[in-house]
Amino acid sequence: TGRVWIASDIHLGPGTPATAAAFYRFLDQARAQADVLVLCGDIFDVWIGDDYALDAPPEWLATALAKFRQAAGALQLWLGRGNRDFLIGPALADHIGARLLPDPVILRTDAGRLLLAHGDQYCTADRSYQRFRRIVRSPAVQAAFLKLGLGLRRAIADRARRRSMQANRDKPAGIMDVENDAVRRAFRQAGVRLLVHGHTHRPAVHRLDLDGQPHTRIVLPDWDYDHAPEPRGGWLQIDAAGPALHQAPK
Ligand code: LP5
Ligand code: MN
């Protein structure tokens, strides 16, 4: 497969120009150095339907789409969906020349097979989130939402973001991380030794023993050059030499 780069949680939107600029520098570098670029969810701060992007996108989004298309002209671009942009669909993927990935998905790389996920599905201690997730991932609810006008969809999404931010302020940090049981189950079910995910914004390489075998869980960083005290972002490179986390330049 050649050199695979994986990034997640960029949260592109109208209010984060510095993050977008840093991410576009990363896309240029990926075009020159990677064969496959995988974005595994929360690429956008929120996604309310592909029609929003394709008929009359606002300027920040038109720029993002052009950058993605340009990247997809030079490498294979694969898109996974996260808890904020799970409504990304085939129309967007077609438009930018990307391929949509299921979540989770097993990828074959030069370093072996790995399980790639956004990561929110493993935060099983967060019961209120998992309840919310079941509702918004139901095809009937999504179909009904996508029939609403864009203004109403936007208002509902803003409301959900605000409620979520309020809820997060009150949640103990522990329940916003993945649960070991969920991770072990995912490893066993996939029969792989490497899990890569984002979502928790806690970049790290975790080693664990499972059934007497060493396993590795790599957590991707989120990107924030607009509001964080120190700009941050990064990606995972995987090639025959194995996986390596890279920090984006400040
Ligand atoms: O995203 P992040 O990291 O801040 O927080 C997540 C969890 N929150 C979410 C919600 C998203 O931020 C917003 C999703 C917008 C989707 C756009 C489409 C709109 C609906 C489409 C219907 C098909 O994912 C957060 C986790 C956190 O990760 C860490 O894992 O804790 O979970 C929550 O905060 C959920 C709350 O616990 C409960 C849910 C509150 C939302 C209520 C919705 C109200 C809608 C109003 C409608 C009029
Ligand atoms: Mn997320």
Side-chain angles (χ1 to χ4, degrees):
T1 46
R3 187 177 277 166
V4 180
W5 281 12
I6 310 177
S8 80
D9 298 277
I10 306 110
H11 304 133
L12 294 172
T16 48
T19 305
F23 181 67
Y24 300 150
R25 289 193 292 275
F26 162 74
L27 285 184
D28 288 339
Q29 198 184 341
R31 278 198 292 147
Q33 296 179 32
D35 300 296
V36 181
L37 174 61
V38 186
L39 301 175
C40 71
D42 289 2
I43 302 160
F44 296 100
D45 184 48
V46 70
W47 194 256
I48 57 174
D50 290 355
D51 49 346
Y52 164 68
L54 306 180
D55 337 325
E59 197 184 328
W60 71 268
L61 182 52
T63 304
L65 298 177
K67 297 283 184 185
F68 283 127
R69 264 179 115 123
Q70 185 187 31
L75 46 66
Q76 295 182 53
L77 177 61
W78 298 356
L79 298 187
R81 287 154 287 189
N83 57 295
R84 301 202 202 165
D85 55 9
F86 54 85
L87 286 174
I88 289 176
L92 174 72
D94 275 0
H95 183 76
I96 62 178
R99 184 180 129 188
L100 286 180
L101 293 178
D103 178 23
V105 62
I106 295 175
L107 299 185
R108 261 174 261 288
T109 72
D110 291 347
R113 281 157 22 104
L114 65 91
L115 183 65
L116 180 74
H118 181 60
D120 57 312
Q121 61 265 69
Y122 308 131
C123 297
T124 49
D126 193 342
R127 304 287 290 277
S128 69
Y129 170 65
Q130 294 298 334
R131 209 156 38 233
F132 172 78
R133 188 179 198 272
R134 274 194 299 277
I135 296 167
V136 298
R137 299 300 177 101
S138 115
V141 170
Q142 293 189 1
F145 181 78
L146 291 171
K147 285 205 192 89
L148 302 174
L150 281 174
L152 188 50
R153 273 187 261 166
R154 161 68 48 210
I156 292 171
D158 287 349
R159 173 83 71 91
R161 287 290 304 126
R162 276 201 303 276
R163 287 271 294 272
S164 170
M165 287 187 277
Q166 270 162 19
N168 286 1
R169 276 196 290 273
D170 303 333
K171 281 180 196 174
I175 75 161
M176 300 213 286
D177 204 349
V178 301
E179 282 290 288
N180 288 330
D181 278 351
V183 167
R184 283 193 286 262
R185 221 175 301 130
F187 270 127
R188 288 203 176 103
Q189 205 176 350
V192 296
R193 305 270 198 88
L194 175 61
L195 167 63
V196 175
H197 70 81
H199 181 67
T200 60
H201 308 175
R202 300 173 196 208
V205 178
H206 297 277
R207 314 263 175 208
L208 59 145
D209 261 3
L210 185 63
D211 307 323
Q213 304 282 352
H215 287 64
T216 307
R217 176 171 69 91
I218 300 181
V219 186
L220 302 163
D222 62 319
W223 291 64
D224 188 354
Y225 283 65
D226 291 278
H227 305 299
E230 280 273 287
R232 60 170 189 257
W235 69 94
L236 184 71
Q237 169 172 302
I238 301 180
D239 56 21
L245 269 178
H246 290 264
Q247 237 174 39
K250 303 268 174 226

